[in-house]
Amino acid sequence: MVLVEGISDRSAIKALAERRGRNLAAEGISVVAMGGATNIGAYIGKFGPLGRDLRLAGLCDVGEEGAFRRGLERAGFGSDLTRSDLEALGFFVCVADLEDELIRALGTATVECVVDAEGELSSFRTLQKQPTWRERSTHDQLRRFMGAGSGRKIRYAGPLVAALEPDRVPRPLDGLLAHL
């Protein structure tokens, strides 16, 4: 079972697995969106060694790494876990967040092409003109754009993963799928 913060993370993992010819459901692997990283303890309790004793893995944002670490430590997966320890257990951390990882892997020009293909380039250009965002990098503007608007992270997860070159898959996603 793969534990992730939200639906966009689940969508990205499933999309990448499909691109690689894997059917996670057929392999008996569920990808579960927990509704936020702070729910990790409850999910590990229910599905980990003290619960159903399923093999667990996961993906989180760097800001939520502490919550994942504490949840794993409380469940008996070790103490004073380092990032390397987390990865050995199958838990991978995105620098900033998944959207940041995908934007860096694709490059801003490619992400803008994806936004255009989704029919939202004019909305993105509007954000770029706002005083708060005018002087920021295109990378930061795209991260904000992905995080703004109802369901945008979820809607873009699949198209962004589809645009990835096979050798440019972000390390946390690549590591997670290799671990499964």
Side-chain angles (χ1 to χ4, degrees):
M1 174 176 285
V2 180
L3 303 174
V4 297
E5 293 182 55
I7 297 170
S8 63
D9 303 306
R10 181 179 67 198
S11 297
I13 291 165
K14 286 183 169 185
L16 183 58
E18 287 175 20
R19 264 193 80 185
R20 291 185 170 174
R22 293 184 65 183
N23 181 335
L24 296 180
E27 294 177 36
I29 300 169
S30 300
V31 183
V32 178
M34 301 181 300
T38 57
N39 294 322
I40 186 74
Y43 278 84
I44 290 175
K46 184 174 182 178
F47 298 109
L50 302 176
R52 295 180 57 198
D53 200 23
L54 300 176
R55 182 171 178 244
L56 300 177
L59 182 73
C60 69
D61 299 342
V62 73
E64 309 302 339
E65 182 177 2
F68 267 57
R69 182 178 286 117
R70 287 185 299 277
L72 289 163
E73 288 173 353
R74 284 188 200 119
F77 285 90
S79 59
D80 298 320
L81 297 173
T82 65
R83 175 86 52 91
S84 294
D85 294 333
L86 291 176
E87 290 181 359
L89 291 169
F91 290 83
F92 295 83
V93 180
C94 293
V95 174
D97 54 29
L98 178 61
E99 292 71 32
D100 175 65
E101 292 280 358
L102 292 170
I103 293 166
R104 278 188 292 108
L106 291 165
T108 58
T110 300
V111 176
E112 284 189 45
C113 288
V114 171
V115 170
D116 189 22
E118 294 293 314
E120 290 198 295
L121 190 58
S122 64
S123 294
F124 176 63
R125 297 290 183 236
T126 299
L127 178 136
Q128 288 182 301
K129 294 174 189 173
Q130 294 174 358
T132 304
W133 294 99
R134 214 177 282 149
E135 301 300 319
R136 304 288 295 270
S137 70
T138 305
H139 177 98
D140 289 344
Q141 292 168 344
L142 284 164
R143 272 192 70 218
R144 172 64 180 145
F145 181 76
M146 294 296 159
S150 180
R152 195 171 275 148
K153 282 184 175 187
I154 298 164
R155 192 168 68 250
Y156 278 95
L160 291 174
V161 167
L164 286 169
E165 293 295 329
D167 64 338
R168 299 283 304 162
V169 173
R171 185 179 182 283
L173 286 175
D174 197 43
L176 177 61
L177 279 179
H179 181 82
L180 299 177

